[in-house]
Structure formats: structure tokens, C-alpha cells
């Protein structure tokens, strides 16, 4: 794997875990449940997600927990293998965002049994019941970047 991809993944993983430690534990969101950051728009809202996006498959126990860790590791391996000949730095960074985010959420599952979600954005009188984290953002941005910027290796 390229150094760019590895650095991108490592920095993404570090940023995800640091934000979780700061917000969930140091700012005591774990006990407060909610902290207004920008009232009416951004709040920290503690949510332990045992499932996948939007809590899908939540509450299924350790089997789903370890299955999701395994799936994330397979995805990381696939993305790393797919990017083995990639030359575009932006595509390698995008791959690192995906891998780092997947590892961040997987580490949560290993350490806590679920993923620590805390970011909640609402607007204009619309109540958003869902929370997410830095890893979720990086996975989304990284996948978008891979679609847009990765080289088609079949034709290179």
C-alpha cells in the first residue's frame, strides 16, 4: 500500500478516536446525554449504535457485533487491494478515509460493544433523531472520492 493511503487512514483513525474521547468522555457526553453546540442546528447527542447505518440490525447481540467488525476488515482489505496500483494522490487519500473510518468504528465495536455516535444536525424546525461520528463522515466522503477520482485499472 502507498504511504499516502496509509497516512490518510492513520490520520483518519486518529481523528475519529480523538473526537470520540474528547466529546464522549472528557466533555462527559456519556453522562449528560446531550450538549448544545450551536443551538437549533448542531448538538452532541450520545447514541451507542450496535447496528449499522440508522441503527439497522441493532440489538442483535455479539454475533452481529463481530460480524460487522469482520465485514469492516474485509472492506478495508478490499479497498487496500483495489488501490494497490493507484497513482492519483486524491484517490489514495479517499481510500484512506474509507479505511480509517471503518477501522475507527470497528475499534469502537471491539472496545465498547457498539459505535459511539454523537453528532446531530437539525435545521429549520426539522427534528433529526439520528447521530453520527467523524468515521461516518470520512467513510461517506471517501467513498464519494473513490467513485469520482479512482483510476479505472482495467484500461490503464
Amino acid at each position: 500500500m502507498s504511504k499516502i493511503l496509509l497516512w490518510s487512514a492513520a490520520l483518519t483513525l486518529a481523528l475519529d478516536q480523538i473526537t470520540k474521547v474528547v466529546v464522549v468522555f472528557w466533555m462527559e457526553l456519556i453522562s449528560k446525554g446531550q450538549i448544545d453546540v450551536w443551538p437549533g442546528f448542531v448538538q452532541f447527542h450520545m447514541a451507542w449504535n450496535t447496528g449499522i447505518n440508522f441503527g439497522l440490525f441493532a440489538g442483535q447481540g455479539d454475533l452481529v457485533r463481530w460480524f460487522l467488525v469482520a465485514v469492516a476488515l474485509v472492506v478495508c482489505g478490499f479497498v487496500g487491494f483495489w488501490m494497490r496500483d493507484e497513482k492519483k494522490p486524491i484517490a489514495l487519500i479517499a481510500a484512506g478515509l474509507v479505511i480509517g473510518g471503518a477501522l475507527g468504528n470497528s475499534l469502537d465495536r471491539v472496545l465498547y460493544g457498539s459505535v459511539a455516535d454523537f453528532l446531530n444536525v437539525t435545521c429549520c424546525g426539522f427534528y433529526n433523531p439520528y447521530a453520527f461520528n467523524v468515521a461516518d463522515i470520512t467513510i461517506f466522503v471517501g467513498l464519494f472520492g473513490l467513485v469520482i477520482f479512482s483510476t479505472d485499472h482495467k484500461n490503464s
Side-chain angles (χ1 to χ4, degrees):
M1 267 193 264
S2 83
K3 287 182 182 179
I4 293 172
L5 188 151
L6 291 174
W7 274 106
S8 175
L11 292 173
T12 299
L13 174 61
L15 179 64
D16 173 65
Q17 291 299 300
I18 289 167
T19 58
K20 288 172 181 171
V21 167
V22 168
V23 174
V24 175
F25 299 105
W26 289 357
M27 293 177 69
E28 300 179 351
L29 183 65
I30 195 166
S31 61
K32 294 177 182 176
Q34 184 171 312
I35 299 171
D36 284 331
V37 177
W38 182 359
F41 187 65
V42 177
Q43 64 182 346
F44 293 151
H45 176 83
M46 191 68 238
W48 291 103
N49 186 358
T50 58
I52 55 176
N53 287 12
F54 306 111
L56 195 62
F57 303 119
Q60 300 298 312
D62 277 347
L63 180 64
V64 168
R65 170 188 176 190
W66 294 110
F67 175 76
L68 292 173
V69 169
V71 167
L73 294 176
V74 168
V75 167
C76 291
F78 172 79
V79 171
F81 181 76
W82 177 33
M83 293 288 109
R84 71 191 180 282
D85 296 326
E86 183 62 63
K87 301 294 185 234
K88 293 181 188 174
I90 190 76
L92 294 167
I93 291 168
L97 292 174
V98 173
I99 291 171
L103 291 175
N105 281 345
S106 292
L107 185 57
D108 282 11
R109 290 183 196 287
V110 170
L111 295 175
Y112 314 119
S114 57
V115 175
D117 288 333
F118 61 88
L119 291 166
N120 178 272
V121 178
T122 60
C123 181
C124 315
F126 170 75
Y127 172 71
N128 175 14
Y130 301 106
F132 54 96
N133 60 43
V134 170
D136 299 334
I137 296 167
T138 64
I139 291 167
F140 178 81
V141 170
L143 289 172
F144 184 77
L146 285 174
V147 169
I148 302 299
F149 299 112
S150 66
T151 303
D152 180 3
H153 295 292
K154 292 182 286 187
N155 296 324
S156 8

